Amino acid sequence: MGNQSSGHGKGHSTGDLASIQVSWPVKFHEIHGDNVILLNDNTLAKRGDSFCKAICFSSRPIAINEKVYIRFAETSSSWSGVLRFGFTNIDPGSVRGSILPRYACPDMTNKQGCWAKALGERYAAFNNILHFYVTRNGDVMYGINGEDVGLFFTGVSTLSPLWTLLDIYGNTIGIEFVNPERLNNSGPLGSLGALNNVLPPPIPQRESLPSGPRTQFPSSSLVNLHSETTVLAPAAPSIPIRYYSNVNFRPMSWHELSGKNIRVVDANRTIAVRADEEYCNAYVFSSRPLKCGEKIVIQVLGIERSFIGGLAVGFTACDPREVTREDLPDDSDMLLDRKEYWVVNKDVCRTPEIGDELCFHLTLNGEVRYSKNNTKVATLMHVDKTLPLWLFFDVYGNIQKIRSIGVTTHVPPIPPRPRSTPFMTQTSMPQLTVTLPPRDPNTAQVALGGPAPASSSSIIHSSGHPNYSMMRSYSVPTGVTSTEPMSPQQKTGYIKSLPTSPETTMDSCSETEASECTVCYERAVNAVLYTCGHMCMCFECAIVVKNHKSALCPICRQEIKDVIKIYKT
């Protein structure tokens, strides 16, 4: 690497960060990938007819805490992925553009002295302004349109000058360095006049902090650690459960492993508080693996409005006892690089309020469902249900304090009894009577080949229950007397004109209802309950009901001892 920085102005010693002239405007270096075109006095870089070979650099090194502003000047929707950005301590003047690799990630980042990562696609919209900078500790922070998002990645070496490393990738077609001092109130930054400084105000660095309040703070001093923007729930009494008050929860405490910026503050290990002025590395883990079919509910007890971004939630097959606090990164995405099984979803519940109840349900199929205050359910991720999975949270951004309410087993709602049940159960069978018109001597007998009943009671069994097979009426043409025998042709004609019996009507109705599961109302009935023998559920729902502690048949309320899947031809 050369001893002089290429670009505008005088050179400086590569080891002297203080000598960097931040007054020089940031432009693109003349060394860049083959598909990059520089315009507007090297402040605008565009990619040609390709999706790769578009790596470029800043024309000068970037000072510590110096914010770099980039506008998305041209975007597309024909590709996938967006801008990759970061830093490098390799002087671009010492590199030939023709030997630059196709991609920054992973081609450049695999080399020593290069750090970069892909921006989230939702941030790379046309005309958005991205800003980022590196701290003395090597943390890269970023934001969009004047609003800080938070930590992007860590681990950058600040012992030597750093140039910006940019890869105009995917749907990002053109980017432009912009001077925040020239952005007026009509621009993307709005009226944030305080951003008209390239260098942000000095911020405390972690390496200068004592090992006390921010990493190992006593619970008695928590109140003094929170700023005016921090909103915490009253210490006592605790916020009542509102949206899951009718659920019987089993306790779920937090594991002894936690992030360096959070502390569990109660004896039951259910309440966790993140340190003030910290927004990340606030991990808490469940004390045991979460089982399929279980759901955990946590309650928001404190928020910090000066930060943005939401909770991060994930699952891991790694036993927390095998992880140390030093192994936990500031950016939860870096957990995915570990050799164990880790999955994570960030920015959950970006607009919290005190008392919000967040439910996370691990289904039998390995689907993780999320709902806020027992309302709309959304799918966050799918996990490997064959592994023991510990749940973990990174109490990130605007959520400051959480409480574990507990876990419960999800049970599908038990449906009401089918409408045909009263006709099938004799104990609830109604008394049916039929009122016949007065006998007319000119009217034939109502029963074929037999005398008419003396009264309606003749169609009721001695047991007091109706005989459905006898509840039929027959029409006989006028003029046919009871003394004349009926011909076989007449009998046949009357039999064909008999109305449908109640048995037939019920059978056709119940057959339609019985073909649909009475739990999910989606799948067909394909299971028999043992020992009662009822068929009212699909096999999937029947297994769920059977595994419940009160496994009862929805029809007869007998205990379900087994479920047998059937196959219809």
Side-chain angles (χ1 to χ4, degrees):
M1 182 161 49
N3 293 327
Q4 303 291 325
S5 67
S6 59
H8 302 270
K10 299 179 180 180
H12 60 272
S13 172
T14 58
D16 186 7
L17 294 176
S19 65
I20 297 177
Q21 298 294 322
V22 297
S23 60
W24 300 341
V26 180
K27 298 183 179 182
F28 288 101
H29 202 284
E30 295 180 354
I31 300 298
H32 51 73
D34 293 341
N35 291 324
V36 174
I37 303 172
L38 299 183
L39 304 169
N40 296 350
D41 193 23
N42 290 357
T43 60
L44 175 64
K46 297 182 65 176
R47 189 184 73 236
D49 296 332
S50 177
F51 62 92
C52 60
K53 288 194 173 184
I55 295 174
C56 48
F57 309 90
S58 61
S59 59
R60 64 166 175 83
I62 305 301
I64 297 298
N65 292 330
E66 177 188 359
K67 285 187 177 180
V68 178
Y69 290 86
I70 290 179
R71 183 176 71 89
F72 289 89
E74 185 177 347
T75 60
S76 171
S77 58
S78 303
W79 308 95
S80 62
V82 291
L83 176 74
R84 278 87 164 118
F85 71 93
F87 291 93
T88 178
N89 58 19
I90 301 175
D91 187 348
S94 64
V95 181
R96 288 185 300 158
S98 58
I99 65 172
L100 288 174
R102 292 165 60 90
Y103 309 106
C105 303
D107 298 341
M108 290 285 288
T109 54
N110 283 340
K111 298 179 180 180
Q112 186 176 3
C114 296
W115 304 268
K117 183 180 171 182
L119 180 67
E121 294 196 26
R122 66 181 182 274
Y123 297 128
F126 171 71
N127 217 34
N128 273 3
I129 292 184
L130 164 72
H131 69 264
F132 60 95
Y133 61 96
V134 61
T135 68
R136 176 71 62 182
N137 298 317
D139 297 337
V140 177
M141 317 299 292
Y142 77 113
I144 298 293
N145 295 336
E147 188 175 16
D148 289 331
V149 175
L151 180 71
F152 194 53
F153 60 83
T154 61
V156 177
S157 173
T158 58
L159 300 178
S160 56
L162 294 169
W163 288 260
T164 59
L165 169 60
L166 303 159
D167 187 356
I168 309 174
Y169 181 85
N171 285 326
T172 302
I173 305 297
I175 57 176
E176 180 184 16
F177 282 121
V178 293
N179 185 351
E181 295 180 355
R182 298 179 181 178
L183 295 174
N184 55 31
N185 292 345
S186 62
L189 296 184
S191 59
L192 300 177
L195 290 178
N196 291 337
N197 292 320
V198 177
L199 282 174
I203 59 175
Q205 302 299 325
R206 288 199 192 103
E207 62 186 14
S208 63
L209 293 176
S211 60
R214 294 198 180 177
T215 56
Q216 297 177 352
F217 42 88
S219 58
S220 59
S221 63
L222 284 176
V223 177
N224 299 326
L225 289 176
H226 297 291
S227 63
E228 295 179 356
T229 57
T230 304
V231 181
L232 295 178
S238 61
I239 298 179
I241 301 174
R242 296 177 54 192
Y243 305 99
Y244 296 90
S245 57
N246 59 342
V247 178
N248 294 323
F249 288 101
R250 300 184 298 274
M252 173 65 85
S253 58
W254 301 124
H255 198 276
E256 293 181 356
L257 174 69
S258 62
K260 62 183 179 181
N261 295 326
I262 197 168
R263 180 179 173 85
V264 179
V265 296
D266 65 322
N268 296 325
R269 297 193 61 82
T270 59
I271 300 177
V273 187
R274 191 184 70 226
D276 189 32
E277 298 183 8
E278 298 289 350
Y279 57 88
C280 63
N281 206 312
Y283 298 95
V284 287
F285 293 78
S286 60
S287 57
R288 64 164 176 84
L290 200 67
K291 300 177 182 178
C292 289
E294 285 187 329
K295 54 185 178 182
I296 182 172
V297 178
I298 66 172
Q299 190 177 47
V300 177
L301 298 183
I303 55 179
E304 172 55 79
R305 301 189 188 278
S306 64
F307 295 122
I308 64 173
L311 196 73
V313 58
F315 285 86
T316 178
C318 177
D319 191 333
R321 293 175 297 181
E322 300 176 359
V323 182
T324 64
R325 176 174 292 183
E326 290 70 25
D327 294 332
L328 299 176
D330 287 347
D331 184 359
S332 56
D333 276 341
M334 299 181 68
L335 292 170
L336 307 180
D337 297 331
R338 293 179 59 90
K339 62 180 181 180
E340 308 94 354
Y341 179 84
W342 296 79
V343 290
V344 66
N345 190 300
K346 302 167 73 172
D347 277 352
V348 178
C349 189
R350 292 177 57 87
T351 56
E353 295 295 338
I354 296 293
D356 281 349
E357 295 168 14
L358 314 181
C359 177
F360 301 89
H361 174 204
L362 177 58
T363 69
L364 298 176
N365 297 325
E367 180 183 4
V368 180
R369 297 176 179 175
Y370 159 73
S371 63
K372 177 181 176 181
N373 297 333
N374 204 10
T375 54
K376 185 178 180 181
V377 178
T379 299
L380 293 182
M381 64 187 86
H382 291 79
V383 298
D384 187 350
K385 63 180 182 179
T386 63
L387 301 174
L389 296 173
W390 280 265
L391 174 70
F392 69 90
F393 297 99
D394 185 4
V395 186
Y396 182 90
N398 49 28
I399 294 183
Q400 184 88 12
K401 181 179 181 181
I402 62 172
R403 172 168 74 104
S404 170
I405 295 178
V407 296
T408 184
T409 302
H410 176 76
V411 180
I414 301 299
R417 294 183 178 183
R419 291 187 296 271
S420 59
T421 301
F423 296 94
M424 306 297 291
T425 309
Q426 293 209 352
T427 56
S428 61
M429 194 172 294
Q431 294 286 338
L432 296 180
T433 59
V434 178
T435 302
L436 298 177
R439 260 187 100 179
D440 189 339
N442 296 325
T443 303
Q445 296 175 353
V446 296
L448 296 178
S455 66
S456 61
S457 62
S458 61
I459 65 171
I460 306 295
H461 278 294
S462 59
S463 61
H465 302 299
N467 183 355
Y468 291 111
S469 63
M470 297 179 62
M471 290 177 58
R472 303 179 183 179
S473 61
Y474 303 90
S475 301
V476 181
T478 305
V480 179
T481 64
S482 59
T483 57
E484 295 180 1
M486 300 180 70
S487 64
Q489 291 79 5
Q490 288 176 319
K491 294 180 180 180
T492 304
Y494 298 133
I495 294 173
K496 289 182 179 180
S497 64
L498 296 179
T500 306
S501 67
E503 272 186 328
T504 308
T505 305
M506 283 177 50
D507 290 345
S508 60
C509 180
S510 62
E511 181 179 355
T512 303
E513 294 177 355
S515 62
E516 187 179 75
C517 174
T518 56
V519 174
C520 65
Y521 294 100
E522 294 179 355
R523 294 181 286 265
V525 172
N526 63 347
V528 176
L529 306 182
Y530 177 78
T531 59
C532 65
H534 281 123
M535 297 173 55
C536 56
M537 291 182 284
C538 65
F539 183 75
E540 290 81 1
C541 291
I543 290 296
V544 174
V545 174
K546 174 183 176 293
N547 291 334
H548 187 243
K549 59 182 179 181
S550 57
L552 301 179
C553 171
I555 296 178
C556 65
R557 315 303 292 176
Q558 291 188 34
E559 181 183 1
I560 301 176
K561 295 185 177 180
D562 200 358
V563 177
I564 303 172
K565 190 171 184 179
I566 62 173
Y567 299 89
K568 297 180 181 180
T569 58

